[in-house]
Structure formats: structure tokens, C-alpha cells
Amino acid sequence: MSGLNKEWEKALSGEFSKEYYSALFSFVNNEYKTKTIYPPKNEVFAAFNHTPLSEVKAVIVGQDPYHGPGQAEGLCFSVKKGIAIPPSLVNIYKELHDDIGCDIPNHGSLTSWADQGVLLLNSLLTVRAHNAMSHSGHGWEEFTDAVIDILNKEDRPIVFILWGSPAQKKARKLNNPKHLILKSPHPSPLSAYRGFFGSKPFSKANEFLISNGVEPIDWSIS
């Protein structure tokens, strides 16, 4: 696995010496050697490298990477340009349009969000090809819990956008009154009509940031 952004590496340094991380590191490296694993090895920590700790304004929590060829790029819900836009992201774009009027883009890469301070964090950072959640129970959950703990301690306004019950489990670690937690059903076709549509996460996030003197996020995607 490639290195972390220096800010995140320092903040997470205590995790690397823990027993669970040693086991996780060995497991993931062996998986890359023996199976087809997504995202590419050099993109496992892409979310952290696009969004340094000091620049995080918002956090969107996903489940695990897309498990189809060429899809995952280390950012939750995001796919590489030229890859078909997955159904959940189609619904995210629909809500983005209905919420703040953004044009719906013709690609699925969310790197422009990440580069503005939106940490696109999956709960699990790797997956076997065509086998969703195949890397659960090997330590990624503990690692991303540590990420949430670090963010919870940040003494500045941050928005946490939690879609669906797996993401909302992370809310148990969030108790900083300076932060905003937005919860709704997952944007997948199975649940989007149960309250994701109309939840207005993008306008609510920006209203919160503006009210706290923080530059809002340009959610539009060119």
C-alpha cells in the first residue's frame, strides 16, 4: 500500500504499531499478490492524499470500494472518468441537481470534491473483484474508526454526511458540538426514495460552513 499524506500519516501514526494494523497490512498485501483487488494498490489511500487533515471541511462515508474493473479510484462513490456512472452516484447527482441546481455531469469522478476538502472515506478501503464487502472483518473498520476519532477532535466546523446504516454507525464516535452530522438513507436505488431524495445534504452543508465563516464547497462538477 502506498504512503499516506504526511498530515494523515502523523495523525494516524499510533495505528501503525497496533496488532490489528499489522495483521491488516499482511492480509491486504497477500490479497494483492494472489487475487484481483480494487482499487489499484497505489490508490488505496487516495482519499487522504486528495484531502489533507487540515483541509477537511466535510466527510462523506461510504461502505467499500466498487468491485468492478476500472471503477474504484480510492474515493467513496467516485469512479474513474470513462467508466459508467453507478446507480447510487446517478441518484447522488439527481439530488445534487434538485438541491442546488447543479448540472448533472457526464462522468463519475468526484476528485474535484476531494480536492476542495471533502474527505470521501469508505469504511473499508479494499475489496476483491466482484465480491462486495469481501475485506470486512480484517481491520479496515478499526482503521477508519480511528480516522473518525481524529476528525471528531478537530476544533473547527466539519460536516459529516452519513448515507445509510453502515455509514451512520460511525456517528457513535461523533460528539463534537462544533460539527454537523447529516443522516439520510443510502442513495442506492433500493433506498433513495425512502428519504435520500429531498434530504438536501449539499445546501445544508454549505449553509453550515458559511454560518461558521468557512468557504463553502463548490459541489458542481465540470
Side-chain angles (χ1 to χ4, degrees), residues 111-189:
T111 54
S112 65
W113 290 1
D115 292 338
Q116 289 183 79
V118 183
L119 182 66
L120 297 171
L121 178 69
N122 275 313
S123 295
L124 312 176
L125 301 189
T126 53
V127 68
R128 287 180 191 167
H130 312 298
N131 193 353
M133 298 298 289
S134 50
H135 281 187
S136 64
H138 291 280
W140 279 132
E141 296 92 340
E142 192 167 350
F143 182 79
T144 53
D145 275 354
V147 173
I148 298 297
D149 283 336
I150 289 165
L151 291 164
N152 184 58
K153 294 173 184 174
E154 287 292 293
D155 190 32
R156 55 194 172 85
I158 297 175
V159 184
F160 291 85
I161 300 173
L162 308 178
W163 293 328
S165 56
Q168 289 171 19
K169 288 178 182 177
K170 298 292 190 189
R172 72 187 187 279
K173 295 190 158 289
L174 300 173
N175 57 14
N176 189 327
K178 290 195 173 182
H179 299 165
L180 174 68
I181 302 172
L182 299 175
K183 298 180 183 180
S184 79
H186 195 275
S188 76

Side-chain angles (χ1 to χ4, degrees), residues 3 7 29 31 36-37 63 71 78 89 95 138 147 156 166 168 170 201 208 210:
E7 287 185 13
N29 274 314
E31 287 282 284
T36 300
I37 304 299
Q63 186 168 278
Q71 290 182 305
S78 182
L89 186 52
E95 178 62 18
H138 291 280
V147 173
R156 55 194 172 85
Q168 289 171 19
K170 298 292 190 189
F208 172 77
I210 292 168

